Amino acid sequence: MKPRPFDYLRPDTVEEAVALLAEYGEEARVLAGGQSLVPMLNLRIVEAEALIDISRITALDVIRDHGQTIEIGAVVTQNKLMAWPQLQQKLPLVAAALPHVGHFQTRNKGTVCGSIAHADPSSELPLALAVLGGEVVLTSKRGTRVLAAQDFQKDMLTTARAADELIAAVRFPVANGSGIERGVGFREVARRHGDFAIVAVAAVVQDQKTLRLGVGGMAGRPMVRQIPAAAAADAIAAWADALEGYEDLHASAAMRRDLFRNLAPLAVAAATGERGGQV
Ligand SMILES: Cc1cc2nc3c(=O)[nH]c(=O)nc-3n(C[C@H](O)[C@H](O)[C@H](O)COP(=O)(O)OP(=O)(O)OC[C@H]3O[C@@H](n4cnc5c(N)ncnc54)[C@H](O)[C@@H]3O)c2cc1C
């Protein structure tokens, strides 16, 4: 299938982009890397009067180190972030998750913010943002607001973004100094490498007593819990029993729960094992 006709607009600045979003409102779609949007347009799952291509807005093609957070601008591709020399040291969970996001070719175009904006419940980057307690920076002609990741993603492909808002950036908290606090673990099962995860699990050592554990592919959005490091196995078992899961053509709800039961201990072991250990 082919998409229905649309206007193609390519602003050079954030101001122009938000002015266009204000003008077109619900009728417009932001085009970032197009790796999710273009297939959805072709299949007519999504229709738009106008596509606002932000890929030439150089002001958004930046990775900023704010000390406690790393801010990734809306035009930064997944491969650009993967090649950032400080990624492993500052954002070890993101470094562990990124190789699972699609393929080299899709990561060349696909943006970090586009993945967060798309809000697929199986996506690796929204899971990493949620587990780390990151933030989404939304800008419009009305001003700028910052939402916590858990307040941003509402459900499957559904976010708190208003139609006139551009995601200008996302902010990932940096790893917490040296030692065990830097421990992270990431595990997923997908049909083939590069496919969306059926279930993905991310673990971060928050402090010596507490872990943050997150799971994607289990509900409409990533789910995150704090669990005690000393009783992680019991906490995982209890959570696995409580998870509802969902069924689609890839897996039953029971299989998803089973994957979580098996992946979560591995992610936790990676996080609490070797210094900065990750999978
Ligand atoms: C073969 C293949 C395999 C893939 N495998 C995976 C995978 O394993 N894991 C995974 O997570 N993803 C996967 N993807 C999706 C890929 O990661 C996309 O890059 C990502 O989902 C969207 O990023 P994008 O920049 O291409 O956004 P686009 O496709 O351009 O946009 C996606 C959506 O987000 C909106 N949007 C984008 N940027 C903004 C912004 N700054 N402000 C407001 N709205 C915005 C768009 O309007 C659209 O609704 C795969 C894609 C392909 C083609």
Side-chain angles (χ1 to χ4, degrees), residues 21 29-40 46 54 74 78 100-103 106 109-118 120 122-126 161 165-168 188 194-197:
L21 279 169
R29 285 284 176 152
V30 173
L31 175 66
Q35 297 301 295
S36 297
L37 182 58
V38 171
M40 290 196 303
V46 166
I54 60 169
Q78 295 148 9
H100 296 276
V101 181
H103 310 270
T106 62
K109 289 293 287 180
T111 61
V112 175
C113 289
S115 178
I116 308 289
H118 185 55
D120 188 295
S122 296
S123 275
E124 293 82 2
L125 293 175
R161 185 183 82 88
E165 285 180 313
L166 177 74
I167 297 175
E188 75 169 44
D195 283 1
F196 279 92

mmCIF file of all heavy atoms in Angstrom, residues 21 29-40 46 54 74 78 100-103 106 109-118 120 122-126 161 165-168 188 194-197, ligand 1:
data_model
loop_
_atom_site.group_PDB
_atom_site.id
_atom_site.type_symbol
_atom_site.label_atom_id
_atom_site.label_comp_id
_atom_site.label_asym_id
_atom_site.label_seq_id
_atom_site.Cartn_x
_atom_site.Cartn_y
_atom_site.Cartn_z
ATOM 1 N N LEU A 21 3.612 22.835 14.073
ATOM 2 C CA LEU A 21 2.806 21.924 14.891
ATOM 3 C C LEU A 21 1.567 22.640 15.434
ATOM 4 O O LEU A 21 0.471 22.056 15.488
ATOM 5 C CB LEU A 21 3.646 21.362 16.047
ATOM 6 C CG LEU A 21 4.554 20.190 15.688
ATOM 7 C CD1 LEU A 21 5.529 19.900 16.827
ATOM 8 C CD2 LEU A 21 3.733 18.939 15.377
ATOM 9 N N ARG A 29 2.160 15.124 11.693
ATOM 10 C CA ARG A 29 3.012 14.146 12.375
ATOM 11 C C ARG A 29 4.452 14.607 12.267
ATOM 12 O O ARG A 29 4.881 15.057 11.190
ATOM 13 C CB ARG A 29 2.924 12.773 11.696
ATOM 14 C CG ARG A 29 1.652 12.050 12.000
ATOM 15 C CD ARG A 29 1.692 11.468 13.404
ATOM 16 N NE ARG A 29 0.430 10.851 13.748
ATOM 17 C CZ ARG A 29 0.298 9.848 14.598
ATOM 18 N NH1 ARG A 29 1.354 9.359 15.206
ATOM 19 N NH2 ARG A 29 -0.871 9.357 14.867
ATOM 20 N N VAL A 30 5.190 14.479 13.355
ATOM 21 C CA VAL A 30 6.620 14.757 13.306
ATOM 22 C C VAL A 30 7.293 13.568 12.622
ATOM 23 O O VAL A 30 7.014 12.412 12.952
ATOM 24 C CB VAL A 30 7.190 14.924 14.731
ATOM 25 C CG1 VAL A 30 8.708 15.038 14.699
ATOM 26 C CG2 VAL A 30 6.563 16.132 15.412
ATOM 27 N N LEU A 31 8.145 13.853 11.650
ATOM 28 C CA LEU A 31 8.941 12.812 11.001
ATOM 29 C C LEU A 31 10.374 12.955 11.508
ATOM 30 O O LEU A 31 11.017 13.975 11.293
ATOM 31 C CB LEU A 31 8.903 12.989 9.481
ATOM 32 C CG LEU A 31 9.791 12.058 8.648
ATOM 33 C CD1 LEU A 31 9.318 10.611 8.753
ATOM 34 C CD2 LEU A 31 9.814 12.493 7.181
ATOM 35 N N ALA A 32 10.846 11.920 12.209
ATOM 36 C CA ALA A 32 12.236 11.952 12.704
ATOM 37 C C ALA A 32 13.051 11.030 11.804
ATOM 38 O O ALA A 32 13.460 11.414 10.717
ATOM 39 C CB ALA A 32 12.272 11.561 14.174
ATOM 40 N N GLY A 33 13.268 9.772 12.231
ATOM 41 C CA GLY A 33 13.995 8.830 11.365
ATOM 42 C C GLY A 33 13.086 8.087 10.399
ATOM 43 O O GLY A 33 13.555 7.454 9.454
ATOM 44 N N GLY A 34 11.788 8.127 10.666
ATOM 45 C CA GLY A 34 10.812 7.493 9.782
ATOM 46 C C GLY A 34 10.757 5.974 9.863
ATOM 47 O O GLY A 34 10.003 5.347 9.127
ATOM 48 N N GLN A 35 11.514 5.384 10.783
ATOM 49 C CA GLN A 35 11.607 3.914 10.814
ATOM 50 C C GLN A 35 10.317 3.261 11.309
ATOM 51 O O GLN A 35 10.036 2.109 10.967
ATOM 52 C CB GLN A 35 12.789 3.474 11.682
ATOM 53 C CG GLN A 35 14.123 3.937 11.155
ATOM 54 C CD GLN A 35 14.361 3.410 9.736
ATOM 55 O OE1 GLN A 35 14.472 2.219 9.518
ATOM 56 N NE2 GLN A 35 14.413 4.316 8.768
ATOM 57 N N SER A 36 9.540 3.968 12.080
ATOM 58 C CA SER A 36 8.234 3.467 12.502
ATOM 59 C C SER A 36 7.112 4.206 11.780
ATOM 60 O O SER A 36 6.105 3.606 11.405
ATOM 61 C CB SER A 36 8.055 3.640 14.021
ATOM 62 O OG SER A 36 9.015 2.868 14.701
ATOM 63 N N LEU A 37 7.288 5.513 11.602
ATOM 64 C CA LEU A 37 6.209 6.315 11.016
ATOM 65 C C LEU A 37 5.940 5.927 9.562
ATOM 66 O O LEU A 37 4.782 5.780 9.155
ATOM 67 C CB LEU A 37 6.554 7.811 11.118
ATOM 68 C CG LEU A 37 5.497 8.767 10.580
ATOM 69 C CD1 LEU A 37 4.158 8.569 11.298
ATOM 70 C CD2 LEU A 37 5.950 10.218 10.710
ATOM 71 N N VAL A 38 6.982 5.774 8.772
ATOM 72 C CA VAL A 38 6.769 5.512 7.331
ATOM 73 C C VAL A 38 6.054 4.179 7.097
ATOM 74 O O VAL A 38 5.076 4.146 6.331
ATOM 75 C CB VAL A 38 8.093 5.640 6.549
ATOM 76 C CG1 VAL A 38 7.927 5.172 5.116
ATOM 77 C CG2 VAL A 38 8.589 7.089 6.595
ATOM 78 N N PRO A 39 6.468 3.076 7.770
ATOM 79 C CA PRO A 39 5.669 1.856 7.600
ATOM 80 C C PRO A 39 4.206 2.039 8.015
ATOM 81 O O PRO A 39 3.303 1.519 7.354
ATOM 82 C CB PRO A 39 6.370 0.834 8.509
ATOM 83 C CG PRO A 39 7.756 1.350 8.692
ATOM 84 C CD PRO A 39 7.678 2.833 8.571
ATOM 85 N N MET A 40 3.971 2.800 9.090
ATOM 86 C CA MET A 40 2.582 2.988 9.544
ATOM 87 C C MET A 40 1.786 3.830 8.544
ATOM 88 O O MET A 40 0.593 3.603 8.340
ATOM 89 C CB MET A 40 2.554 3.639 10.927
ATOM 90 C CG MET A 40 3.048 2.695 12.017
ATOM 91 S SD MET A 40 2.614 3.242 13.681
ATOM 92 C CE MET A 40 3.353 4.852 13.715
ATOM 93 N N VAL A 46 -1.674 5.003 10.166
ATOM 94 C CA VAL A 46 -1.623 6.420 10.515
ATOM 95 C C VAL A 46 -1.858 7.222 9.244
ATOM 96 O O VAL A 46 -1.369 6.853 8.177
ATOM 97 C CB VAL A 46 -0.230 6.780 11.090
ATOM 98 C CG1 VAL A 46 -0.019 8.277 11.148
ATOM 99 C CG2 VAL A 46 -0.050 6.160 12.467
ATOM 100 N N ILE A 54 11.936 16.877 11.039
ATOM 101 C CA ILE A 54 12.817 17.650 11.937
ATOM 102 C C ILE A 54 14.290 17.296 11.744
ATOM 103 O O ILE A 54 15.149 17.836 12.437
ATOM 104 C CB ILE A 54 12.427 17.431 13.420
ATOM 105 C CG1 ILE A 54 12.539 15.944 13.818
ATOM 106 C CG2 ILE A 54 11.031 17.972 13.693
ATOM 107 C CD1 ILE A 54 12.431 15.700 15.315
ATOM 108 N N ALA A 74 16.500 15.669 19.869
ATOM 109 C CA ALA A 74 15.518 14.904 19.085
ATOM 110 C C ALA A 74 16.056 14.364 17.769
ATOM 111 O O ALA A 74 15.461 13.458 17.192
ATOM 112 C CB ALA A 74 14.302 15.778 18.816
ATOM 113 N N GLN A 78 20.112 6.686 16.893
ATOM 114 C CA GLN A 78 20.525 5.621 17.822
ATOM 115 C C GLN A 78 21.991 5.250 17.589
ATOM 116 O O GLN A 78 22.734 5.019 18.546
ATOM 117 C CB GLN A 78 19.588 4.429 17.633
ATOM 118 C CG GLN A 78 18.151 4.769 18.030
ATOM 119 C CD GLN A 78 17.088 4.037 17.244
ATOM 120 O OE1 GLN A 78 17.368 3.119 16.475
ATOM 121 N NE2 GLN A 78 15.837 4.436 17.420
ATOM 122 N N HIS A 100 20.252 -3.939 20.863
ATOM 123 C CA HIS A 100 19.045 -4.739 20.620
ATOM 124 C C HIS A 100 17.990 -3.971 19.828
ATOM 125 O O HIS A 100 16.961 -4.537 19.454
ATOM 126 C CB HIS A 100 18.426 -5.179 21.957
ATOM 127 C CG HIS A 100 19.311 -6.083 22.756
ATOM 128 N ND1 HIS A 100 19.377 -7.439 22.553
ATOM 129 C CD2 HIS A 100 20.184 -5.814 23.754
ATOM 130 C CE1 HIS A 100 20.236 -7.980 23.396
ATOM 131 N NE2 HIS A 100 20.749 -7.012 24.135
ATOM 132 N N VAL A 101 18.213 -2.673 19.620
ATOM 133 C CA VAL A 101 17.202 -1.847 18.936
ATOM 134 C C VAL A 101 17.378 -1.994 17.421
ATOM 135 O O VAL A 101 18.262 -1.380 16.818
ATOM 136 C CB VAL A 101 17.336 -0.356 19.347
ATOM 137 C CG1 VAL A 101 16.265 0.472 18.642
ATOM 138 C CG2 VAL A 101 17.224 -0.208 20.856
ATOM 139 N N GLY A 102 16.564 -2.812 16.813
ATOM 140 C CA GLY A 102 16.588 -2.957 15.363
ATOM 141 C C GLY A 102 17.947 -3.408 14.851
ATOM 142 O O GLY A 102 18.646 -4.222 15.470
ATOM 143 N N HIS A 103 18.346 -2.845 13.719
ATOM 144 C CA HIS A 103 19.573 -3.244 13.028
ATOM 145 C C HIS A 103 20.436 -2.008 12.799
ATOM 146 O O HIS A 103 19.951 -0.890 12.907
ATOM 147 C CB HIS A 103 19.229 -3.873 11.673
ATOM 148 C CG HIS A 103 18.182 -4.934 11.794
ATOM 149 N ND1 HIS A 103 18.483 -6.258 12.009
ATOM 150 C CD2 HIS A 103 16.829 -4.854 11.761
ATOM 151 C CE1 HIS A 103 17.363 -6.958 12.088
ATOM 152 N NE2 HIS A 103 16.350 -6.131 11.948
ATOM 153 N N THR A 106 18.654 0.428 10.584
ATOM 154 C CA THR A 106 17.526 1.189 11.166
ATOM 155 C C THR A 106 18.044 2.177 12.204
ATOM 156 O O THR A 106 17.510 3.276 12.350
ATOM 157 C CB THR A 106 16.474 0.259 11.806
ATOM 158 O OG1 THR A 106 17.073 -0.477 12.891
ATOM 159 C CG2 THR A 106 15.902 -0.722 10.801
ATOM 160 N N LYS A 109 19.101 5.705 10.962
ATOM 161 C CA LYS A 109 18.064 6.721 10.753
ATOM 162 C C LYS A 109 17.222 6.934 12.014
ATOM 163 O O LYS A 109 16.822 8.052 12.316
ATOM 164 C CB LYS A 109 17.135 6.302 9.602
ATOM 165 C CG LYS A 109 17.751 6.353 8.221
ATOM 166 C CD LYS A 109 18.071 7.767 7.777
ATOM 167 C CE LYS A 109 16.810 8.545 7.436
ATOM 168 N NZ LYS A 109 17.156 9.934 7.003
ATOM 169 N N GLY A 110 16.924 5.841 12.694
ATOM 170 C CA GLY A 110 16.034 5.924 13.857
ATOM 171 C C GLY A 110 16.645 6.763 14.970
ATOM 172 O O GLY A 110 17.827 6.616 15.296
ATOM 173 N N THR A 111 15.836 7.628 15.565
ATOM 174 C CA THR A 111 16.340 8.502 16.618
ATOM 175 C C THR A 111 15.993 7.936 17.996
ATOM 176 O O THR A 111 15.049 7.159 18.146
ATOM 177 C CB THR A 111 15.733 9.914 16.495
ATOM 178 O OG1 THR A 111 14.313 9.811 16.624
ATOM 179 C CG2 THR A 111 16.085 10.554 15.151
ATOM 180 N N VAL A 112 16.752 8.387 18.985
ATOM 181 C CA VAL A 112 16.481 7.983 20.373
ATOM 182 C C VAL A 112 15.108 8.534 20.783
ATOM 183 O O VAL A 112 14.253 7.812 21.303
ATOM 184 C CB VAL A 112 17.597 8.503 21.299
ATOM 185 C CG1 VAL A 112 17.283 8.220 22.756
ATOM 186 C CG2 VAL A 112 18.939 7.892 20.885
ATOM 187 N N CYS A 113 14.886 9.813 20.500
ATOM 188 C CA CYS A 113 13.611 10.432 20.902
ATOM 189 C C CYS A 113 12.436 9.848 20.124
ATOM 190 O O CYS A 113 11.327 9.747 20.657
ATOM 191 C CB CYS A 113 13.678 11.951 20.699
ATOM 192 S SG CYS A 113 14.747 12.770 21.890
ATOM 193 N N GLY A 114 12.675 9.484 18.851
ATOM 194 C CA GLY A 114 11.594 8.884 18.047
ATOM 195 C C GLY A 114 11.123 7.586 18.660
ATOM 196 O O GLY A 114 9.923 7.280 18.659
ATOM 197 N N SER A 115 12.055 6.808 19.180
ATOM 198 C CA SER A 115 11.690 5.552 19.829
ATOM 199 C C SER A 115 10.861 5.819 21.085
ATOM 200 O O SER A 115 9.873 5.130 21.341
ATOM 201 C CB SER A 115 12.960 4.775 20.188
ATOM 202 O OG SER A 115 12.628 3.597 20.854
ATOM 203 N N ILE A 116 11.250 6.819 21.854
ATOM 204 C CA ILE A 116 10.491 7.173 23.062
ATOM 205 C C ILE A 116 9.106 7.699 22.655
ATOM 206 O O ILE A 116 8.088 7.356 23.266
ATOM 207 C CB ILE A 116 11.241 8.260 23.881
ATOM 208 C CG1 ILE A 116 12.698 7.859 24.167
ATOM 209 C CG2 ILE A 116 10.479 8.626 25.156
ATOM 210 C CD1 ILE A 116 12.929 6.758 25.138
ATOM 211 N N ALA A 117 9.083 8.525 21.601
ATOM 212 C CA ALA A 117 7.805 9.114 21.143
ATOM 213 C C ALA A 117 6.862 8.040 20.635
ATOM 214 O O ALA A 117 5.652 8.097 20.878
ATOM 215 C CB ALA A 117 8.077 10.121 20.018
ATOM 216 N N HIS A 118 7.409 7.052 19.948
ATOM 217 C CA HIS A 118 6.586 5.996 19.348
ATOM 218 C C HIS A 118 5.922 5.141 20.435
ATOM 219 O O HIS A 118 4.806 4.673 20.282
ATOM 220 C CB HIS A 118 7.475 5.151 18.425
ATOM 221 C CG HIS A 118 6.738 4.114 17.667
ATOM 222 N ND1 HIS A 118 5.657 4.416 16.869
ATOM 223 C CD2 HIS A 118 6.898 2.769 17.585
ATOM 224 C CE1 HIS A 118 5.187 3.300 16.320
ATOM 225 N NE2 HIS A 118 5.926 2.281 16.747
ATOM 226 N N ASP A 120 6.362 2.081 21.767
ATOM 227 C CA ASP A 120 6.020 0.667 21.629
ATOM 228 C C ASP A 120 6.312 -0.021 22.971
ATOM 229 O O ASP A 120 7.391 0.174 23.539
ATOM 230 C CB ASP A 120 6.872 0.050 20.510
ATOM 231 C CG ASP A 120 6.438 -1.374 20.184
ATOM 232 O OD1 ASP A 120 6.573 -2.266 21.057
ATOM 233 O OD2 ASP A 120 5.976 -1.587 19.048
ATOM 234 N N SER A 122 7.257 -2.873 23.692
ATOM 235 C CA SER A 122 8.394 -3.801 23.670
ATOM 236 C C SER A 122 9.712 -3.108 23.383
ATOM 237 O O SER A 122 10.744 -3.772 23.292
ATOM 238 C CB SER A 122 8.167 -4.866 22.593
ATOM 239 O OG SER A 122 7.049 -5.636 22.912
ATOM 240 N N SER A 123 9.698 -1.815 23.183
ATOM 241 C CA SER A 123 10.920 -1.096 22.808
ATOM 242 C C SER A 123 11.913 -1.025 23.953
ATOM 243 O O SER A 123 11.535 -0.840 25.115
ATOM 244 C CB SER A 123 10.576 0.329 22.378
ATOM 245 O OG SER A 123 10.227 0.357 21.039
ATOM 246 N N GLU A 124 13.167 -1.108 23.592
ATOM 247 C CA GLU A 124 14.220 -1.140 24.599
ATOM 248 C C GLU A 124 14.469 0.231 25.225
ATOM 249 O O GLU A 124 14.712 0.337 26.440
ATOM 250 C CB GLU A 124 15.530 -1.638 23.967
ATOM 251 C CG GLU A 124 15.517 -3.094 23.522
ATOM 252 C CD GLU A 124 14.871 -3.350 22.159
ATOM 253 O OE1 GLU A 124 14.437 -2.363 21.509
ATOM 254 O OE2 GLU A 124 14.786 -4.502 21.730
ATOM 255 N N LEU A 125 14.450 1.302 24.415
ATOM 256 C CA LEU A 125 14.832 2.616 24.959
ATOM 257 C C LEU A 125 13.791 3.187 25.933
ATOM 258 O O LEU A 125 14.172 3.731 26.984
ATOM 259 C CB LEU A 125 15.135 3.597 23.819
ATOM 260 C CG LEU A 125 16.392 3.239 23.011
ATOM 261 C CD1 LEU A 125 16.579 4.181 21.821
ATOM 262 C CD2 LEU A 125 17.636 3.260 23.897
ATOM 263 N N PRO A 126 12.491 3.062 25.652
ATOM 264 C CA PRO A 126 11.525 3.509 26.671
ATOM 265 C C PRO A 126 11.681 2.733 27.985
ATOM 266 O O PRO A 126 11.512 3.300 29.061
ATOM 267 C CB PRO A 126 10.166 3.206 26.014
ATOM 268 C CG PRO A 126 10.434 3.242 24.551
ATOM 269 C CD PRO A 126 11.826 2.684 24.386
ATOM 270 N N ARG A 161 2.081 13.405 25.251
ATOM 271 C CA ARG A 161 2.426 14.510 24.337
ATOM 272 C C ARG A 161 1.159 15.102 23.728
ATOM 273 O O ARG A 161 0.313 14.373 23.209
ATOM 274 C CB ARG A 161 3.330 13.999 23.210
ATOM 275 C CG ARG A 161 3.834 15.078 22.281
ATOM 276 C CD ARG A 161 4.656 14.504 21.138
ATOM 277 N NE ARG A 161 3.828 14.020 20.062
ATOM 278 C CZ ARG A 161 3.390 14.762 19.045
ATOM 279 N NH1 ARG A 161 3.706 16.046 18.966
ATOM 280 N NH2 ARG A 161 2.634 14.237 18.108
ATOM 281 N N GLU A 165 2.996 19.607 20.546
ATOM 282 C CA GLU A 165 4.292 19.537 21.227
ATOM 283 C C GLU A 165 5.312 18.713 20.450
ATOM 284 O O GLU A 165 4.992 17.649 19.901
ATOM 285 C CB GLU A 165 4.131 18.922 22.622
ATOM 286 C CG GLU A 165 3.502 19.885 23.620
ATOM 287 C CD GLU A 165 3.344 19.257 24.998
ATOM 288 O OE1 GLU A 165 2.857 18.112 25.088
ATOM 289 O OE2 GLU A 165 3.687 19.924 25.989
ATOM 290 N N LEU A 166 6.540 19.215 20.493
ATOM 291 C CA LEU A 166 7.688 18.498 19.938
ATOM 292 C C LEU A 166 8.481 17.928 21.113
ATOM 293 O O LEU A 166 8.691 18.630 22.112
ATOM 294 C CB LEU A 166 8.569 19.495 19.170
ATOM 295 C CG LEU A 166 9.865 18.977 18.562
ATOM 296 C CD1 LEU A 166 9.567 18.123 17.322
ATOM 297 C CD2 LEU A 166 10.775 20.142 18.182
ATOM 298 N N ILE A 167 8.890 16.676 20.999
ATOM 299 C CA ILE A 167 9.850 16.178 21.986
ATOM 300 C C ILE A 167 11.193 16.766 21.578
ATOM 301 O O ILE A 167 11.742 16.401 20.531
ATOM 302 C CB ILE A 167 9.900 14.645 21.998
ATOM 303 C CG1 ILE A 167 8.543 14.086 22.410
ATOM 304 C CG2 ILE A 167 10.999 14.144 22.940
ATOM 305 C CD1 ILE A 167 8.453 12.579 22.330
ATOM 306 N N ALA A 168 11.682 17.695 22.372
ATOM 307 C CA ALA A 168 12.948 18.349 22.026
ATOM 308 C C ALA A 168 14.128 17.481 22.431
ATOM 309 O O ALA A 168 15.169 17.489 21.772
ATOM 310 C CB ALA A 168 13.043 19.707 22.709
ATOM 311 N N GLU A 188 16.880 -9.682 26.907
ATOM 312 C CA GLU A 188 15.603 -9.765 26.203
ATOM 313 C C GLU A 188 15.523 -11.044 25.385
ATOM 314 O O GLU A 188 16.557 -11.662 25.063
ATOM 315 C CB GLU A 188 15.372 -8.548 25.288
ATOM 316 C CG GLU A 188 16.179 -8.546 24.015
ATOM 317 C CD GLU A 188 15.724 -7.462 23.029
ATOM 318 O OE1 GLU A 188 15.477 -6.321 23.455
ATOM 319 O OE2 GLU A 188 15.634 -7.775 21.825
ATOM 320 N N GLY A 194 17.379 -8.132 16.524
ATOM 321 C CA GLY A 194 16.944 -6.969 15.758
ATOM 322 C C GLY A 194 15.438 -6.837 15.712
ATOM 323 O O GLY A 194 14.919 -5.784 15.357
ATOM 324 N N ASP A 195 14.720 -7.907 16.058
ATOM 325 C CA ASP A 195 13.266 -7.782 16.164
ATOM 326 C C ASP A 195 12.936 -7.094 17.485
ATOM 327 O O ASP A 195 13.743 -7.097 18.426
ATOM 328 C CB ASP A 195 12.607 -9.168 16.180
ATOM 329 C CG ASP A 195 12.542 -9.791 14.796
ATOM 330 O OD1 ASP A 195 13.023 -9.158 13.829
ATOM 331 O OD2 ASP A 195 12.009 -10.907 14.685
ATOM 332 N N PHE A 196 11.720 -6.558 17.561
ATOM 333 C CA PHE A 196 11.254 -6.045 18.842
ATOM 334 C C PHE A 196 11.289 -7.181 19.852
ATOM 335 O O PHE A 196 11.044 -8.344 19.509
ATOM 336 C CB PHE A 196 9.815 -5.537 18.722
ATOM 337 C CG PHE A 196 9.718 -4.163 18.133
ATOM 338 C CD1 PHE A 196 9.553 -3.978 16.775
ATOM 339 C CD2 PHE A 196 9.799 -3.047 18.952
ATOM 340 C CE1 PHE A 196 9.469 -2.709 16.229
ATOM 341 C CE2 PHE A 196 9.718 -1.771 18.418
ATOM 342 C CZ PHE A 196 9.556 -1.606 17.055
ATOM 343 N N ALA A 197 11.562 -6.845 21.104
ATOM 344 C CA ALA A 197 11.581 -7.871 22.151
ATOM 345 C C ALA A 197 10.181 -8.435 22.353
ATOM 346 O O ALA A 197 9.187 -7.718 22.213
ATOM 347 C CB ALA A 197 12.067 -7.245 23.458
HETATM 348 C C1 LIG B 1 13.215 -3.569 10.634
HETATM 349 C C2 LIG B 1 12.992 -2.758 11.869
HETATM 350 C C3 LIG B 1 13.292 -3.297 13.105
HETATM 351 C C4 LIG B 1 13.077 -2.554 14.269
HETATM 352 N N1 LIG B 1 13.369 -3.132 15.465
HETATM 353 C C5 LIG B 1 13.213 -2.416 16.591
HETATM 354 C C6 LIG B 1 13.538 -2.971 17.865
HETATM 355 O O1 LIG B 1 13.986 -4.097 17.994
HETATM 356 N N2 LIG B 1 13.337 -2.184 18.956
HETATM 357 C C7 LIG B 1 12.823 -0.908 18.864
HETATM 358 O O2 LIG B 1 12.664 -0.251 19.876
HETATM 359 N N3 LIG B 1 12.526 -0.367 17.677
HETATM 360 C C8 LIG B 1 12.690 -1.074 16.553
HETATM 361 N N4 LIG B 1 12.371 -0.511 15.352
HETATM 362 C C9 LIG B 1 11.830 0.861 15.334
HETATM 363 C C10 LIG B 1 12.996 1.864 15.284
HETATM 364 O O3 LIG B 1 13.769 1.774 16.424
HETATM 365 C C11 LIG B 1 12.540 3.349 15.176
HETATM 366 O O4 LIG B 1 13.695 4.062 15.036
HETATM 367 C C12 LIG B 1 11.851 4.000 16.313
HETATM 368 O O5 LIG B 1 10.767 3.240 16.775
HETATM 369 C C13 LIG B 1 11.286 5.366 15.889
HETATM 370 O O6 LIG B 1 12.319 6.273 15.681
HETATM 371 P P1 LIG B 1 12.317 7.223 14.401
HETATM 372 O O7 LIG B 1 13.307 8.309 14.657
HETATM 373 O O8 LIG B 1 12.477 6.429 13.175
HETATM 374 O O9 LIG B 1 10.856 7.880 14.486
HETATM 375 P P2 LIG B 1 9.708 8.030 13.371
HETATM 376 O O10 LIG B 1 9.424 6.740 12.727
HETATM 377 O O11 LIG B 1 10.056 9.189 12.484
HETATM 378 O O12 LIG B 1 8.521 8.462 14.318
HETATM 379 C C14 LIG B 1 7.881 7.525 15.167
HETATM 380 C C15 LIG B 1 6.718 8.221 15.890
HETATM 381 O O13 LIG B 1 7.214 9.156 16.854
HETATM 382 C C16 LIG B 1 6.823 10.497 16.514
HETATM 383 N N5 LIG B 1 7.999 11.335 16.758
HETATM 384 C C17 LIG B 1 9.275 11.055 16.392
HETATM 385 N N6 LIG B 1 10.109 11.996 16.863
HETATM 386 C C18 LIG B 1 9.337 12.885 17.528
HETATM 387 C C19 LIG B 1 9.630 14.096 18.241
HETATM 388 N N7 LIG B 1 10.884 14.566 18.377
HETATM 389 N N8 LIG B 1 8.601 14.771 18.800
HETATM 390 C C20 LIG B 1 7.322 14.294 18.677
HETATM 391 N N9 LIG B 1 6.985 13.170 18.034
HETATM 392 C C21 LIG B 1 7.991 12.481 17.461
HETATM 393 C C22 LIG B 1 6.403 10.442 15.050
HETATM 394 O O14 LIG B 1 5.475 11.454 14.738
HETATM 395 C C23 LIG B 1 5.809 9.045 14.964
HETATM 396 O O15 LIG B 1 4.509 9.043 15.485
HETATM 397 C C24 LIG B 1 12.573 -1.238 14.181
HETATM 398 C C25 LIG B 1 12.292 -0.675 12.934
HETATM 399 C C26 LIG B 1 12.493 -1.415 11.783
HETATM 400 C C27 LIG B 1 12.178 -0.788 10.465
#
